[in-house]
Amino acid sequence: MSYRPTVRGRRLARELRTLREKRNLTLQEVADRLSMSRATVSRLETAQTRPKAEDIDRFLDLYGVPSPERDALSNLANAAQRRGWWTAYSDVFTGSYVAMEHEASLIRTWDPQLVHGLLQTEDYARAVITAGRMLPNPEDVERRLAARRTRQALLDQAEAPRVHMVVDEAVLHRPIGGREVLAEQLRHLARLAERDRITVQILPFTVREHAGLDGRFTILSFPDPADPDIAYVEGTMGDVYVESIAEIASHGERFQRIAEAALPPEESARLVADSARRAS
């Protein structure tokens, strides 16, 4: 089973790399001193492999890390070892996105074509998965739907993240799954938008060129300031995770411009409700 690091797992990897660099040690020097391969040390520093508590203790011994910093890093290692609910769906989730989404405190997303997966109804999701994934096998579709239902439980948790979704007005008119499926999806979206932690905005057709023309993306923000934002772009040729400070700032500004060009939440809610009635 491939390792899908959580935010804390990524933070631990960054800390290990920082500790090594502060001591002016190369990957090979650390590998030699710990009787590990250079590749193993590199994978631990880049969150490509699940850390073992005993291995992390050896790193901390080598670097001479004192408490309380040592205790904090040991706790991070223990947290990184725990398997999340998504590991049961390793055949569905191929990247780290869901593991990171689960720990986010704010999810900002722009999509010119679809309602975000967290806010989709089952019939809408079934149509999207069947067409988008080109899955002819009904069992594969149902497996992905089960994974999506489990993922959507995130919104019902006591510490649910804030979600700010902006979609193009085209999403309100494309009858994915048929007109009744679309109508129910829009009614569901309107209900969700009434929640305090969910904001839905519509970018109307009247807006001409805008900052979202390059396509959809999601920005995840986390409760701990030690964890920087991550931008995520999903594509048919693979997923892209944007983590550099400059690129994250650019995506944040892009999202802000899209949101400013979109209808306010109250007007968006009326448009969603009107579109649901017309689709029925």
Side-chain angles (χ1 to χ4, degrees), residues 119 163-165 167 189 193 198-202 263-265 268-269 272:
L119 310 182
V163 178
H164 187 172
M165 183 190 81
V167 296
L189 189 60
I198 296 178
T199 300
V200 175
Q201 286 184 264
I202 307 301
L263 296 174
S268 295
V272 170

Side-chain angles (χ1 to χ4, degrees), residues 116-226:
H116 191 272
L118 282 175
L119 310 182
Q120 291 177 3
T121 65
E122 184 161 318
D123 287 338
Y124 186 95
R126 179 178 286 106
V128 170
I129 291 170
T130 302
R133 298 287 179 175
M134 295 186 289
L135 298 174
N137 189 330
E139 288 76 16
D140 291 337
V141 174
E142 293 305 315
R143 173 72 173 164
R144 288 180 175 274
L145 284 172
R148 184 154 302 192
R149 285 194 297 270
T150 305
R151 174 187 167 199
Q152 290 174 340
L154 175 66
L155 297 181
D156 297 321
Q157 294 182 356
E159 297 298 324
R162 289 183 292 126
V163 178
H164 187 172
M165 183 190 81
V166 185
V167 296
D168 194 275
E169 186 177 350
V171 173
L172 309 184
H173 299 283
R174 189 178 302 280
I176 289 176
R179 296 186 64 82
E180 282 302 320
V181 169
L182 174 62
E184 177 51 35
Q185 172 62 73
L186 297 181
R187 288 191 290 268
H188 179 65
L189 189 60
R191 290 191 294 269
L192 289 175
E194 294 176 353
R195 298 189 184 185
D196 292 338
R197 303 186 69 81
I198 296 178
T199 300
V200 175
Q201 286 184 264
I202 307 301
L203 186 72
F205 287 140
T206 52
V207 174
R208 296 169 47 182
E209 59 275 3
H210 57 83
L213 292 174
D214 284 343
R216 63 181 177 176
F217 62 90
T218 297
I219 304 173
L220 302 177
S221 301
F222 306 97
D224 194 318

Side-chain angles (χ1 to χ4, degrees), residues 76-141:
L76 267 183
N78 291 331
Q81 286 188 78
R82 291 197 290 268
R83 298 178 184 272
W85 62 264
W86 50 88
T87 58
Y89 294 99
S90 59
D91 55 321
V92 174
F93 302 119
T94 57
S96 299
Y97 175 79
V98 173
M100 293 186 289
E101 180 185 74
H102 186 76
E103 297 187 43
S105 57
L106 171 62
I107 301 170
R108 288 170 287 172
T109 178
W110 152 251
D111 198 318
Q113 297 195 67
L114 296 170
V115 172
H116 191 272
L118 282 175
L119 310 182
Q120 291 177 3
T121 65
E122 184 161 318
D123 287 338
Y124 186 95
R126 179 178 286 106
V128 170
I129 291 170
T130 302
R133 298 287 179 175
M134 295 186 289
L135 298 174
N137 189 330
E139 288 76 16
D140 291 337
V141 174

